[in-house]
Amino acid sequence: MHPDPHTVLPVSADWWRSAVFYQIYVRSFADGNGDGVGDLTGIRSRLSYLADLGVDALWITPFYPSPMADHGYDVADPRDVEPVFGDLAEFDALLTDAHRLGVRVTIDLVPNHSSHDHEWFQAALTAAPGSPERARYLFREGRGPDGSEPPNNWPSVFGGPAWTRVPDGQWYLHIFAPEQPDLNFANPEVVADLEETMRFWLDRGVDGFRIDVAHGMAKPEGLPDMVPMEDTGLLADHGPGDLRFDQDGVHVVHRRIRAVLDEYPGTMAVGEVWVSDDARLAQYLREDELQLAFNFKLLTADWTVSDLRDAVTDSLAAVSGSPAPACWVLSNHDRPRHVTRYGGGELGTRRAKAAALLQLALPGAAYIYNGDELGMPDVDLPDEALQDPIWERSGHTERGRDACRIPMPWSGSEPSYGFSSQADTWLPMPAGWAALTPEAQAADPASIQSLYRSALTLRASSPAFAGDGLDWVPAPDGCLAFRRPGGLVCLVNLSGAAIPLPEGQVLLASADLGDGTLPHDSAVWLQA
Ligand code: BGC
């Protein structure tokens, strides 16, 4: 028997407000059973690494039974564990161990759609049009004289139409892959089932959820055509003409989600809300809805003063009228990693170090994607290695997201660098990654991993980080600088040349300050 996970960590109503979360893409973090795919045992074996790094909480991506058409975001049973990843006992043990180390655990909730292998969808396929089984999904008659045209013009986010026809002639909606049928949130049974899933995991002791496609779920009455869009662009925000997302009815679902969370003090939810209109985004963060919503503006910003500054200003503005703090993300499993976005190679890593100090100096919560702390770049994979459904669905025109999902290197000098006991991994790992491993970086005080560790220690202990909000302060051309109420000054130098260090006691720098200057593409924290 494991100790009750609720008793280990103190209940604190708003621990998440300035928490640093660590996103674990379960397939790619650590493989405990030697099959080349990451799993719960692997995560459990690396918990002390995460505690040492100094993160407050984990977000573990879906580990539920799944045929893996979208690597777990196609959930066949939301209340069990996929055998490839482990079992419920292993999850409980992971939760207990994490709590004992003072690390909270949040997990993915995928409400918008199920897998086509879910028993509900299988029942819907064999049931008649108009049946209660079909009413849990969005089945419709087609258009055209023989119904052979999809019911509306909606495209799938992964390419092609958002509708697939079944043998009796009806069509079902899938905003993502055909293997991910959208659930019908106008059906009370669907909402009740979501609540049951939440309670199942909350009763086991999880600290909260990351809500997948949190701006999905509700669909407009009558499913009318939307403004035609050339390409959907993966998970981009397409604005008000895009009827697939951000419908007013979604807030009813969020209020139900919050009501369940409120029964479990100290638990929270963060939403993946791709909505760039500030006022509409803020609606998801009302008192009785989500506690956090990812601010994706840093994730999509270029390495320029204006982009970074706008990303920060706009993200703070977006939450300013809501009870929520901002929630910062540089990379995740859906987008190119920032080392690569910032130019790759030494320059990309140098900028990524500076970006880490920028992100971790900002007020609010922060999410680190596994491997950010190692400076992992994207990897160009050969066509035959690609696994993301986007590759097939786009007719081999979009390579998809595999490049940012390569397994983490841990030790040694050859693939799989301690990720697995075998060399072959579900996505191949490249040669030349020995220097990226924690084993190699831990002893080097100038490594990006050492920087993350120092930054997280300071962030957790220094009074300089106190207070919400920030003020922009004057900085040389090509630089940005802000001050937190507690006295922390963060200065980022994008000017292309070294600049003199301002007054103040240096707390941490992303590069060697040697001669009293801040080199290009680096950042410093000062107590001023
Ligand atoms: C996830 C993606 C996934 C999609 C469909 C997104 O929010 O982050 O990885 O493919 O939802 O579930």
Side-chain angles (χ1 to χ4, degrees), residues 70 73 110 113 158 176 180 210 212-213 235 272 333-334 401 405:
D70 187 19
Y73 282 96
V110 188
H113 43 265
F158 291 161
F176 295 90
Q180 293 166 297
R210 174 264 189 187
D212 190 60
V213 199
L235 303 176
E272 182 202 32
H333 66 293
D334 288 328
R401 301 159 291 178
R405 297 175 173 179

Side-chain angles (χ1 to χ4, degrees), residues 47-285:
L47 285 174
S48 55
Y49 166 82
L50 296 167
D52 282 356
L53 187 64
V55 301
D56 301 300
L58 310 181
W59 152 29
I60 308 177
T61 61
F63 50 84
Y64 318 113
S66 165
M68 300 289 160
D70 187 19
H71 291 130
Y73 282 96
D74 48 323
V75 180
D77 178 356
R79 300 188 280 275
D80 203 348
V81 173
E82 162 62 38
V84 167
F85 299 139
D87 57 22
L88 280 170
E90 187 59 26
F91 179 78
D92 291 342
L94 159 60
L95 191 58
T96 303
D97 286 1
H99 283 175
R100 201 179 277 132
L101 288 166
V103 177
R104 293 176 203 266
V105 177
T106 70
I107 61 175
D108 233 301
L109 197 62
V110 188
N112 180 69
H113 43 265
S114 76
S115 161
H116 65 154
D117 276 4
H118 191 291
E119 64 176 330
W120 275 7
F121 193 69
Q122 289 303 311
L125 287 180
T126 52
S131 60
E133 287 82 358
R134 288 216 171 166
R136 294 166 177 148
Y137 293 91
L138 292 149
F139 280 84
R140 294 289 184 277
E141 298 301 329
R143 294 202 286 205
D146 54 358
S148 64
E149 299 292 321
N152 70 22
N153 70 348
W154 294 6
S156 149
V157 169
F158 291 161
W163 294 92
T164 290
R165 200 170 193 193
V166 298
D168 61 36
Q170 281 207 316
W171 298 74
Y172 69 89
L173 179 71
H174 52 86
I175 299 294
F176 295 90
E179 297 87 350
Q180 293 166 297
D182 278 54
L183 285 154
N184 174 16
F185 272 84
N187 182 338
E189 205 186 343
V190 169
V191 183
D193 189 70
L194 175 64
E195 294 184 9
E196 190 177 332
T197 297
M198 292 179 68
R199 290 203 171 86
F200 178 87
W201 296 106
L202 290 164
D203 286 339
R204 298 192 103 83
V206 303
D207 300 286
F209 301 97
R210 174 264 189 187
I211 311 227
D212 190 60
V213 199
H215 58 321
M217 299 185 273
K219 308 294 188 295
E221 193 62 42
L223 302 177
D225 281 344
M226 58 187 258
V227 179
M229 277 166 203
E230 176 62 8
D231 157 56
T232 59
L234 177 64
L235 303 176
D237 163 17
H238 300 290
D242 187 342
L243 301 179
R244 299 168 302 173
F245 299 113
D246 192 30
Q247 299 298 301
D248 289 338
V250 75
H251 298 289
V252 176
V253 183
H254 283 295
R255 284 195 278 273
R256 296 288 291 268
I257 290 173
R258 181 59 178 266
V260 175
L261 290 173
D262 285 348
E263 292 169 22
Y264 295 81
T267 62
M268 53 76 67
V270 58
E272 182 202 32
V273 188
W274 283 99
V275 171
S276 57
D277 181 276
D278 287 353
R280 291 202 66 89
L281 178 68
Q283 290 186 358
Y284 290 79
L285 294 168

